[in-house]
Amino acid sequence: MSDLLAARSQMAVSLGFHILFAVVGIGMPVLMVLAEQRWQRTGDAIYLDLAKRWAKGTAILFAVGAVSGTVLSFELGLLWPEFMRLAGPVIGMPFSLEGFAFFTEAIFLGVYLYGWDRISRRAHLLAGILVAVSGAASGIFVVIANAWMNAPRGFDLVHGRLINVDPIAGMLNPMAFPQALHMTLAAYAATGFAVAGIHAFLLLFDGGNAFHRRALTVALLVGAPCAVLQPLSGDLSARAVARVQPAKLAAMEAHFETARRVPLLIGGWPDVDARTTRYAVRIPGGLSLLAHHDLNARVTGLEEFPRADWPNVPIVHAAFQIMVALGSYLALVSLWAGWLAIRRRDPSENRWLLRAVALGAPFGFLAIEAGWTVTEVGRQPWIVYGTLRTADAVTPMPGLIVPFLGFSLLYCFLGVIVVWLLYRQIIRSPRATEWSRVYSPDRIRRA
């Protein structure tokens, strides 16, 4: 393994691990706030138990996310010194704002965890809302920094140095809004469906459990609408990629020759040497329509770029297909759940829906990993698109395979601990049935 590949692999493992906790840090606070709001409105103690348990889970995942995020910040400087030297004046602002958002989230998470009996109900709910808002803001600022790497703006490049730097213009680059919107919706959809999937699976064996029924409802309220909106934000993001990174779009669709009325490929495996995609289903004019909203639009192919500037087409195409397939599944299940809700049917009573939701529990996270693979591998061989190559940004220090293997083992160890802690949270969930909730001894005495 070359040092460049080892450095890229270490960043891939670190990012792939950290993104899961960053996503949960965005989505879980919304779940716990909704549960607490329902408790305050209805007086149902099960919602209070849900809010407290989800708050503990959020704290566990927040702590691990803080550790893995700190490691990433060191890796950026140690593995990619030329990138930090060049890009620091621009991306310093969004990363600083992310730091403020992170500290705000940490402060109010502490207030939320330890303020149940120390502050008023309204103040406690407000603390939870601030945790949710600051968590989303933290993720958005990081995505904006990544968007700048895909569409660098706000500077002049002279003799390999950035001058006339305008950080605000850099943050307002063409990819900032599409990426931030797509990633934020993905975070809510993935977290909502992960939680809903766990409780749907448990309901298949304990259908009368009131705790799991309410947890399923709250989780679907967060995950389902975002999963339905996700394809729309994906369309916006794809059109931005078509304008700013045509080589990435061509790799995503394994599109080699510039042409009009280009078909959309479903599946298939790219043969780069033959410049064709085998075994794919072709929808005539589909790519032209999606990229430019015109069936006869001209779509740039990879042939327009030097071969040295091509991304790894098979990886990018496969990851894009996986992301779209998993996202489409979650959107369809969400529409199914919404249709049942419109008809005033309880989703927890439909065993086929429970099976579908349980199956989709990991799909949101897998789709996010695939989407980030598209984003990062699709930008190669550039670390800053069109400005700095990845090979020129890596540290000259040899032996990078050693930290790559060491950190990979560390992340495996942390992952096992997190799974064990969350498992303890889940298996200790209460077993109250709907009957026992309605006809509890306390209620009978009060009646």
Side-chain angles (χ1 to χ4, degrees):
M1 179 180 284
S2 67
D3 288 329
L4 174 60
L5 180 58
R8 289 182 60 191
S9 300
Q10 183 174 339
M11 286 299 297
V13 171
S14 300
L15 283 168
F17 183 84
H18 175 70
I19 194 65
L20 299 177
F21 298 95
V23 162
V24 172
I26 295 171
M28 282 302 298
V30 177
L31 294 179
M32 68 185 192
V33 166
L34 280 177
E36 182 179 2
Q37 189 272 334
R38 287 201 161 200
W39 166 63
Q40 292 188 7
R41 182 168 57 86
T42 66
D44 189 340
I46 294 178
Y47 286 118
L48 175 61
D49 197 7
L50 264 178
K52 289 186 175 183
R53 289 175 179 274
W54 282 343
K56 291 178 182 178
T58 300
I60 294 170
L61 297 169
F62 180 86
V64 179
V67 172
S68 58
T70 303
V71 171
L72 271 174
S73 65
F74 280 105
E75 288 178 344
L76 280 173
L78 295 174
L79 295 178
W80 311 102
E82 286 302 308
F83 166 72
M84 296 303 294
R85 180 190 66 80
L86 178 79
V90 181
I91 65 173
M93 178 172 285
F95 274 128
S96 297
L97 293 173
E98 188 274 337
F100 281 114
F102 173 81
F103 288 130
T104 302
E105 183 181 9
I107 290 168
F108 284 101
L109 181 59
V111 173
Y112 192 87
L113 288 171
Y114 299 105
W116 285 103
D117 301 319
R118 294 173 174 84
I119 58 178
S120 68
R121 287 187 175 186
R122 182 176 297 178
H124 191 268
L125 184 64
L126 177 61
I129 292 172
L130 291 174
V131 172
V133 172
S134 56
S138 178
I140 288 171
F141 287 129
V142 171
V143 171
I144 286 175
N146 180 267
W148 179 83
M149 297 165 64
N150 292 320
R153 299 290 189 277
F155 64 92
D156 293 321
L157 184 64
V158 178
H159 303 303
R161 298 185 64 86
L162 303 188
I163 63 171
N164 302 325
V165 174
D166 183 352
I168 300 298
M171 291 178 63
L172 298 177
N173 65 80
M175 292 301 300
F177 177 73
Q179 276 193 226
L181 177 64
H182 196 55
M183 185 61 205
T184 304
L185 288 175
Y188 292 137
T191 305
F193 262 93
V195 174
I198 292 171
H199 292 283
F201 177 79
L202 295 173
L203 279 171
L204 290 172
F205 301 95
D206 186 10
N209 191 304
F211 180 84
H212 297 315
R213 290 161 73 98
R214 281 155 185 72
L216 175 69
T217 300
V218 174
L220 285 178
L221 280 175
V222 174
C226 293
V228 172
L229 293 173
Q230 191 71 343
L232 301 179
S233 70
D235 174 71
L236 179 66
S237 183
R239 285 190 286 125
V241 170
R243 293 192 304 270
V244 178
Q245 295 178 288
K248 178 186 287 187
L249 178 72
M252 288 160 55
E253 290 292 341
H255 175 53
F256 295 95
E257 298 179 359
T258 301
R260 294 185 180 275
R261 200 177 179 83
V262 178
L264 178 69
L265 304 185
I266 299 177
W269 185 255
D271 186 337
V272 178
D273 294 330
R275 300 196 175 188
T276 186
T277 303
R278 305 185 188 280
Y279 319 116
V281 176
R282 288 170 166 79
I283 301 176
L287 182 56
S288 294
L289 180 64
L290 290 178
H292 302 287
H293 286 187
D294 181 356
L295 274 172
N296 296 308
R298 179 178 181 271
V299 181
T300 304
L302 285 167
E303 66 179 5
E304 299 289 334
F305 306 94
R307 182 65 180 269
D309 291 348
W310 288 16
N312 188 310
V313 180
I315 290 178
V316 176
H317 179 70
F320 180 68
Q321 296 290 316
I322 291 171
M323 179 188 69
V324 171
L326 297 179
S328 299
Y329 176 88
L330 295 183
L332 291 173
V333 174
S334 299
L335 291 173
W336 183 5
W339 179 70
L340 290 176
I342 291 172
R343 298 184 64 190
R344 300 187 181 278
R345 303 284 184 85
D346 187 349
S348 61
E349 299 287 348
N350 190 310
R351 294 187 65 82
W352 282 107
L353 178 64
L354 291 178
R355 293 186 181 100
V357 173
L359 177 64
F363 284 4
F365 293 131
L366 294 175
I368 287 174
E369 297 284 9
W372 275 103
T373 300
V374 172
T375 299
E376 297 303 300
V377 180
R379 191 179 60 244
Q380 300 304 316
W382 305 97
I383 192 169
V384 180
Y385 190 70
T387 303
L388 179 65
R389 288 181 176 270
T390 308
D392 297 330
V394 71
T395 177
M397 184 182 72
L400 295 182
I401 190 173
V402 176
F404 163 54
L405 295 176
F407 278 103
S408 297
L409 292 174
L410 172 63
Y411 288 132
C412 290
F413 176 69
L414 286 175
V416 170
I417 292 177
V418 170
V419 170
W420 179 74
L421 289 173
L422 294 180
Y423 174 73
R424 285 173 60 87
Q425 284 289 108
I426 293 171
I427 63 173
R428 289 182 177 179
S429 60
R431 301 183 179 276
T433 63
E434 292 291 349
W435 186 91
S436 64
R437 186 184 73 86
V438 175
Y439 299 103
S440 62
D442 289 341
R443 288 186 173 229
I444 292 173
R445 281 196 294 270
R446 285 199 299 269

